[in-house]
Amino acid sequence: AQSVAQPEDQVNVAEGNPLTVKCTYSVSGNPYLFWYVQYPNRGLQFLLKYITGDNLVKGSYGFEAEFNKSQTSFHLKKPSALVSDSALYFCAVRDKRNNDMRFGAGTRLTVKP
Amino acid sequence: DAGVIQSPRHEVTEMGQEVTLRCKPISGHNSLFWYRQTMMRGLELLIYFNNNVPIDDSGMPEDRFSAKMPNASFSTLKIQPSEPRDSAVYFCASSPGSGSTDTQYFGPGTRLTVL
């Protein structure tokens, strides 16, 4: 079965600095990878996904993620962090063969002014 | 588009009571998912439907949990009887199709507290 790991519970960055939220995955076939963001007392909001094609995927709010097959990673990045980016970020993986999406434990991003 | 609608947003009940959570998916979406989120276990898929038919309920924790989708615009998740360990945030999500590339869109969640 597919699984995803987010090795960092918490990431702290200063406003204006680049940010990276890490994600690694395990799946037997071709992975479909997703990033979601959750603000306090809200549902998850879709940011971006990788299905096929260009390894660099651009998404909402200036976020992007790079699919690296050899390292089985799909790290989320943003060149310049905003305080409003502070939230809980979830990576998810889905196997091509089924509809079961597995979420990581989440990484809490805090951007300080 | 109103997005996925869930009700109630908050529910506080006593152990042993029946709890019913409701979800209205995005119009035109064919798949609907129920998730549970807790600090200990993170986000867990409970069950999902495709074209109103339950496809995989292997995530439903026990027989106290049941879910129905009587039509394309409405689904319920019922817990009977409820227990304190059921306290969690329950999310409903919908997606346009049943394909594994489809994006899931989440509702705001129902925060359930069982005393």
Side-chain angles (χ1 to χ4, degrees):
Chain A
Q2 62 270 30
S3 65
V4 64
Q6 294 181 242
E8 301 158 316
D9 293 335
Q10 175 102 20
V11 171
N12 297 315
V13 298
E15 187 175 31
N17 283 0
L19 69 87
T20 298
V21 183
K22 296 179 181 178
C23 171
T24 58
Y25 66 89
S26 173
V27 66
S28 55
N30 291 324
Y32 298 139
L33 296 154
F34 302 77
W35 274 103
Y36 284 82
V37 59
Q38 185 179 27
Y39 297 100
N41 300 315
R42 302 283 295 277
L44 278 68
Q45 295 179 31
F46 170 74
L47 280 178
L48 51 82
K49 66 182 177 183
Y50 171 80
I51 304 301
T52 187
D54 194 347
N55 290 344
L56 185 64
V57 180
K58 294 188 182 296
S60 307
Y61 313 121
F63 283 92
E64 58 188 29
E66 186 168 12
F67 171 63
N68 188 317
K69 188 172 183 178
S70 63
Q71 298 185 5
T72 61
S73 67
F74 190 56
H75 301 332
L76 182 70
K77 299 181 179 183
K78 187 173 182 179
S80 179
L82 301 173
V83 173
S84 57
D85 293 330
S86 298
L88 194 55
Y89 289 82
F90 290 93
C91 182
V93 64
R94 187 187 262 157
D95 192 302
K96 183 180 180 179
R97 297 168 297 177
N98 63 61
N99 216 355
D100 185 7
M101 188 143 80
R102 298 296 174 96
F103 284 84
T107 297
R108 185 165 299 282
L109 172 68
T110 301
V111 181
K112 297 184 178 179
Chain B
D1 194 333
V4 176
I5 299 173
Q6 291 186 247
S7 65
R9 292 294 309 274
H10 301 273
E11 176 81 32
V12 180
T13 191
E14 292 186 345
M15 182 174 63
Q17 296 298 306
E18 177 180 296
V19 175
T20 299
L21 311 181
R22 297 173 176 81
C23 174
K24 177 178 168 55
I26 293 173
S27 178
H29 281 194
N30 295 330
S31 293
L32 183 140
F33 306 80
W34 282 101
Y35 289 89
R36 179 173 66 177
Q37 185 180 39
T38 61
M39 290 291 291
M40 291 296 292
R41 300 175 67 90
L43 202 60
E44 304 172 279
L45 176 66
L46 300 177
I47 185 173
Y48 78 88
F49 296 82
N50 185 40
N51 292 324
N52 313 337
V53 176
I55 302 300
D56 183 356
D57 64 355
S58 59
M60 296 286 262
E62 44 194 283
D63 292 344
R64 297 184 297 107
F65 286 70
S66 62
K68 294 182 179 180
M69 193 165 185
N71 57 63
S73 59
F74 183 65
S75 177
T76 59
L77 178 68
K78 186 177 293 186
I79 309 172
Q80 166 63 17
S82 59
E83 296 182 4
R85 60 193 169 116
D86 301 331
S87 297
V89 181
Y90 291 82
F91 289 104
C92 176
S94 69
S95 67
S98 59
S100 50
T101 62
D102 284 294
T103 298
Q104 295 181 17
Y105 297 88
F106 284 73
T110 295
R111 183 174 296 276
L112 173 65
T113 302
V114 183
L115 303 174

